[in-house]
Amino acid sequence: MATKRRILKELEDMSRDRSSGMQAEVVDSDNMMHLRGWFEGPPDTPYAGGTYVVDIVLPDNYPFVPPKMRFETRVWHPNISSQTGAICLDTLSAKWSPVLTIKTALLSLQSLLAAPEPSDPQDAEVAQMMLNDPARFDAKAREWATRYAGAGDAAPPSEAEKRRRELDGYSESLVEGFTGMGFETRAVVSALRGAGVKRGVESLAEDMAGRVVERLIGGM
Amino acid sequence: MKVTIKTYNAVAYWRWDAPSDDVCGICRVQFDGTCPNCRFPGDDCPILNGKCGHSFHLHCVNDWIQTESSRGLCPMCRQKFEFEAE
């Protein structure tokens, strides 16, 4: 089926691209049209540090119609129902376009968390609180993030997580090729980025490797 | 040395005039491949170049334009989707 091929491509793309932080997987291997996506709450918001899980149902004529998305994780936010997780977002309805993807839709949800729009609410009670008592709204949003999304506690990132952030999506073996020459990881990653090397590649053509080394030497 | 050619097989190669690594934004298949509903690339599954500079498989963009929610707009830039008749 037409739709299936595109969904597979999208899932592959998301599992390869670690830098966006948007992830999705099939809920039940028999049904490609039902997915579960998740992402981190945006930094410097009450949702920071939480993990937000989204239930995704793809209609048969996807991508010509938008995916049906609903927050599985409970969220205190004016554009998301505090009861059902239903989402009010134009990109997921009238403003949908078939060049958008599950990943871009999840990115839009992450931006929605960072930019609540109380004038066009999904949940009137939450919107009222946000407008009338912003401090109380922030506290409650934070409380829900801690209780339902696992935020808070500010656990320090694990060693593996630190390393993953440091590599910024580049493969360990690729970076090691350069750190083996005596350069620091941070410098290698920034040189790879500067030379326009795609994330996830395992080896470089000679001229590209040369360009990366040039940058490393230039930066010393 | 004199050679007499008795028989030969001609081989031709073609591709669309589009960047080779470019995919149709709607189905995500390369332009040189077909839309998901066709089997053979080429004139039976052409690409359509919009005046706005965005290209898609004809069949893909046609499916989109036929939906009510498209309002006839290009999926990329949301301008009216128009194309040069050839």
Side-chain angles (χ1 to χ4, degrees):
Chain A
M1 193 174 57
T3 302
K4 244 183 194 168
R5 221 157 104 192
R6 180 177 142 150
I7 300 170
L8 274 174
K9 282 193 175 201
E10 286 198 43
L11 290 172
E12 260 171 45
D13 172 56
M14 269 184 285
S15 67
R16 255 200 322 262
D17 170 21
R18 297 267 158 215
S19 58
S20 76
M22 300 298 134
Q23 291 184 285
E25 62 184 19
V26 174
V27 175
D28 162 10
S29 57
D30 291 341
N31 181 7
M32 291 262 317
M33 311 305 270
H34 187 196
L35 309 177
R36 183 187 293 121
W38 66 96
F39 57 85
E40 302 273 301
D44 305 319
T45 67
Y47 314 103
T51 301
Y52 290 87
V53 180
V54 179
D55 183 74
I56 307 167
V57 175
L58 302 169
D60 283 339
N61 41 351
Y62 177 81
F64 298 104
V65 293
K68 293 190 172 72
M69 292 192 165
R70 185 182 65 78
F71 273 94
E72 237 168 59
T73 309
R74 296 189 71 184
V75 195
W76 192 254
H77 183 291
N79 309 105
I80 301 161
S81 163
S82 58
Q83 301 302 314
T84 65
I87 302 160
C88 171
L89 183 63
D90 55 1
T91 345
L92 289 181
S93 51
K95 286 263 179 74
W96 174 257
S97 147
V99 298
L100 299 176
T101 61
I102 298 161
K103 181 166 91 181
T104 63
L106 290 171
L107 274 164
S108 305
L109 292 183
Q110 195 184 36
S111 319
L112 181 68
L113 290 187
E117 192 48 75
S119 59
D120 182 22
Q122 172 77 35
D123 192 308
E125 185 197 349
V126 183
Q128 279 303 319
M129 186 192 278
M130 184 176 176
L131 291 170
N132 300 335
D133 194 347
R136 198 166 143 236
F137 166 81
D138 276 355
K140 180 139 187 182
R142 185 66 199 162
E143 187 200 321
W144 277 38
T146 312
R147 192 188 307 169
Y148 300 115
D153 310 344
S158 66
E159 285 306 311
E161 172 66 12
K162 269 193 218 159
R163 181 71 183 158
R164 201 182 64 78
R165 284 188 200 169
E166 201 176 26
L167 290 173
D168 191 25
Y170 287 104
S171 101
E172 180 82 54
S173 64
L174 181 69
V175 171
E176 262 169 20
F178 294 99
T179 51
M181 300 175 193
F183 298 107
E184 281 182 353
T185 303
R186 197 178 46 79
V188 172
V189 169
S190 106
L192 289 169
R193 230 183 285 140
V197 176
K198 283 195 181 140
R199 287 171 171 79
V201 297
E202 291 291 333
S203 62
L204 296 181
E206 216 170 320
D207 59 335
M208 184 55 106
R211 241 178 290 165
V212 174
V213 171
E214 252 167 54
R215 278 179 174 271
L216 282 165
I217 294 168
M220 280 172 84
Chain B
M1 185 175 74
K2 202 175 171 189
V3 177
T4 310
I5 297 169
K6 289 182 175 165
T7 168
Y8 65 91
N9 293 313
V11 177
Y13 171 86
W14 69 274
R15 42 181 305 259
W16 292 109
D17 186 14
S20 59
D21 57 341
D22 236 14
V23 298
C24 168
I26 298 177
C27 67
R28 310 251 145 204
V29 173
Q30 298 194 341
F31 282 128
D32 290 340
T34 65
C35 86
N37 300 318
C38 288
R39 285 191 56 196
F40 303 107
D43 286 340
D44 289 341
C45 187
I47 61 174
L48 195 58
N49 301 304
K51 280 187 184 168
C52 56
H54 298 118
S55 305
F56 307 94
H57 287 121
L58 166 73
H59 299 148
C60 294
V61 77
N62 202 29
D63 280 351
W64 166 241
I65 295 298
Q66 278 174 9
T67 65
E68 212 173 288
S69 52
S70 77
R71 304 196 318 278
L73 305 183
C74 168
M76 285 285 183
C77 61
R78 300 184 199 279
Q79 297 183 62
K80 187 131 191 68
F81 192 77
E82 293 175 315
F83 51 90
E84 314 271 359
E86 288 190 30

